[in-house]
Amino acid sequence: MFWRGLIGYLPANIVQGVVGVLTLLFFTRLLSAEQFGQYALAFSIMSIAHVGVFTWLEAAMARFWAAQTTEAEMRSHFATLYRYFAVLLAVYVPVAASLVWVWPLQPDLKAAVAIGLTGVPVRSAYNLIQERRRASGSVAAAASLDMAVTIGAFLVGLAAVAMGAGGSAPLIGLALVPFMAALIFTPGEHRRGQRGVVRRSRARDYARYGYPVAASLILALVLSSTDRLVLAAFLDEAAVGAYHAGYSLANRTLDVIFIWLGAASGPALVMALERGGASALRTAAREQASTFLLIALPAAAGLALVAQPLAQLVIGEQLRDTAAAVTPLIALSALMAGLTTYYFHQAFTLSRRTGLLLQAMAIPAAVNLLLNLVLVPRMGVMGAALATAISYGVGAVASWGLGRGAISLPVPWDALVRCGLASIIMAVAVAQMPALGGIQELLTKAGVGIVVYAVAAWLLNAADVRGHGSRVLKIFQARWAA
């Protein structure tokens, strides 16, 4: 299931990566630094509201789908989730509207926040559809819808910029296109719960599982958003925009990789545990962790090595110097965050001991807030980047330690050493190349880095890359034969 998902979700994540680059390429040029900062702040507020209100339902859809063994249980599963979604929606709308009304924000920022908060329940309805598809192994359907929504949101955002929406423009796309998808597909999902019994006991189980997940994600958002809020307090919105551009350049690139890996690995681990027990889980987890290292470790190193030419190509002139400066530290942060979220945190969700997940996220969130308050006044945006890198490192260690008390997921030390050595060989080779600037330097260094890493990893058999290559080849051969 893991490798089928890995291959099936690849096109969707390529699209996400390309659109992420295009988002920076266009919006950092079409919007002023202040407008881009308004978008960054509103996006952070939107994300916190989404996670705080609706994410526990999405987490329950993902985790409990495989545990339903009869048609009646499955109908009850859907009926319960959608009934409580409706209840939350009825509460959320007036509360969010009142908050926007009374919040004393500058008018353009208030408009961006209002649009972001409007999109929260829409995106949750869309996420419920996608979580069901991923949990059930409907890879092609989930990937196709994701590509359509990603491209559509970007194009609508561009149109909104052309119409003068300013910092609100990207958020309009993020709200309108998922709304259209939810309008089309939610009725079919809701029908899966027809004649299903809404059970409070089931909802309590979902809430006990999902709310700690949501709370931990809020802490994760605090961890990833505190720097922007502190920068806004001590500096200005332009500084927030410049930092967000650099943060997005590195973090979004690696996040796309981890989302791709996680979309395939999460459901596969749940299925392994529910259908094969602890032994099957350990086998699947070791294979997946090794694959994570094989792909993500060189990606993070590569981003750090090409930070300057990448920023020259993608980021607008007014923001690019700051973006290039923070990219290496944010790449390290994104690597730690991805391994923590998509691997170490699986110990808490698989064991359903999500209270430990909350503890694991509280530690780096507190460290991040403290470090930002200390470093930002002294070092500006570089202080925010350094605080983020240290905090995610602390979070990885804390999650690994606490996770051992839930379900002990193996750490593939051999794969870590071999992938690390191959990445070092790649970095040495790339570092010897001249700084040509712009797209020429980016393509040359990226091409050499990919080739050198691929050869080194193959010779070292890092993360059993030879075995993985044979497995992927067999999957493609089976598809071609069909």
Side-chain angles (χ1 to χ4, degrees):
M1 183 176 181
F2 172 62
W3 286 98
R4 183 167 61 87
L6 208 60
I7 294 170
Y9 289 123
L10 181 58
N13 282 272
I14 290 174
V15 168
Q16 283 196 6
V18 171
V19 169
V21 171
L22 292 176
T23 296
L24 291 174
L25 183 66
F26 283 93
F27 290 132
T28 58
R29 288 170 168 79
L30 297 175
L31 301 176
S32 68
E34 289 77 12
Q35 289 174 329
F36 196 77
Q38 291 164 3
Y39 154 65
L41 290 170
F43 183 85
S44 296
I45 293 167
M46 175 191 76
S47 300
I48 291 172
H50 183 169
V51 171
V53 180
F54 293 101
T55 291
W56 69 277
L57 293 171
E58 300 162 20
M61 175 68 84
R63 177 62 183 88
F64 289 90
W65 186 92
Q68 313 307 313
T69 57
T70 68
E71 181 65 23
E73 288 180 348
M74 189 64 76
R75 289 185 180 278
S76 178
H77 175 64
F78 279 89
T80 302
L81 287 174
Y82 277 98
R83 172 68 61 82
Y84 279 85
F85 176 84
V87 171
L88 290 174
L89 180 62
V91 175
Y92 172 84
V93 171
V95 171
S98 300
L99 177 63
V100 172
W101 180 263
V102 302
W103 201 349
L105 297 174
Q106 182 262 345
D108 289 342
L109 179 57
K110 176 173 282 198
V113 170
I115 292 170
L117 292 178
T118 300
V120 166
V122 169
R123 292 192 64 81
S124 182
Y126 167 74
N127 286 346
L128 282 172
I129 297 166
Q130 290 294 75
E131 292 296 352
R132 194 278 304 169
R133 291 183 171 188
R134 295 188 187 105
S136 63
S138 301
V139 176
S144 298
L145 181 57
D146 188 66
M147 287 188 285
V149 169
T150 299
I151 295 171
F154 171 68
L155 294 177
V156 170
L158 283 182
V161 171
M163 295 173 66
S168 300
L171 298 163
I172 292 174
L174 292 174
L176 183 59
V177 178
F179 171 74
M180 295 171 64
L183 197 65
I184 294 170
F185 294 105
T186 296
E189 296 292 310
H190 186 267
R191 282 195 293 271
R192 294 172 180 269
Q194 285 183 347
R195 297 189 303 277
V197 178
V198 177
R199 299 189 184 277
R200 290 186 180 180
S201 60
R202 183 183 285 270
R204 284 194 297 269
D205 289 341
Y206 293 172
R208 278 195 293 265
Y209 169 83
Y211 267 118
V213 172
S216 71
L217 289 175
I218 289 176
L219 290 175
L221 288 170
V222 169
L223 183 57
S224 64
S225 304
T226 297
D227 41 19
R228 296 161 181 76
L229 300 176
V230 175
L231 283 169
F234 284 99
L235 300 177
D236 53 30
E237 291 178 359
V240 176
Y243 178 79
H244 184 73
Y247 192 101
S248 299
L249 185 65
N251 184 74
R252 181 56 180 161
T253 302
L254 282 169
D255 196 37
V256 166
I257 292 174
F258 278 112
I259 289 173
W260 165 47
L261 295 169
S265 70
L269 289 180
V270 172
M271 196 69 73
L273 178 62
E274 294 289 345
R275 308 289 166 85
S279 176
L281 173 63
R282 282 192 298 271
T283 300
R286 182 175 296 279
E287 179 185 41
Q288 292 183 20
S290 299
T291 305
F292 280 25
L293 292 170
L294 178 67
I295 297 172
L297 196 57
L303 275 172
L305 290 165
V306 300
Q308 191 65 42
L310 184 60
Q312 291 173 0
L313 179 65
V314 176
I315 305 298
E317 186 175 356
Q318 59 185 336
L319 303 174
R320 69 173 55 137
D321 289 340
T322 299
V326 302
T327 292
L329 282 172
I330 299 303
L332 176 60
S333 305
L335 176 65
M336 293 293 100
L339 292 173
T340 301
T341 300
Y342 294 100
Y343 186 67
F344 291 126
H345 284 178
Q346 295 292 337
F348 309 122
T349 55
L350 290 168
S351 65
R352 302 187 188 180
R353 297 182 62 183
T354 48
L356 289 174
L357 175 59
L358 186 57
Q359 295 178 37
M361 286 307 306
I363 295 171
V367 171
N368 184 254
L369 176 59
L370 177 62
L371 288 177
N372 269 285
L373 292 174
V374 172
L375 296 177
V376 167
R378 292 166 173 78
M379 301 172 61
V381 292
M382 291 306 297
L386 181 59
T388 299
I390 294 172
S391 301
Y392 277 116
V394 170
V397 174
S399 296
W400 173 70
L402 288 170
R404 289 167 62 87
I407 287 181
S408 183
L409 297 179
V411 177
W413 296 108
D414 180 75
L416 177 60
V417 171
R418 292 172 187 260
C419 293
L421 181 57
S423 297
I424 291 172
I425 295 171
M426 175 194 73
V428 171
V430 172
Q432 306 306 311
M433 303 184 66
L436 303 173
I439 190 170
Q440 184 179 0
E441 180 181 352
L442 176 62
L443 293 178
T444 303
K445 288 186 173 180
V448 169
I450 290 170
V451 171
V452 170
Y453 179 78
V455 172
W458 187 269
L459 292 175
L460 292 167
N461 197 26
D464 190 28
V465 66
R466 298 173 195 167
H468 293 335
S470 298
R471 188 178 298 110
V472 171
L473 181 60
K474 289 178 181 177
I475 292 175
F476 277 116
Q477 286 175 339
R479 290 191 175 185
W480 292 331

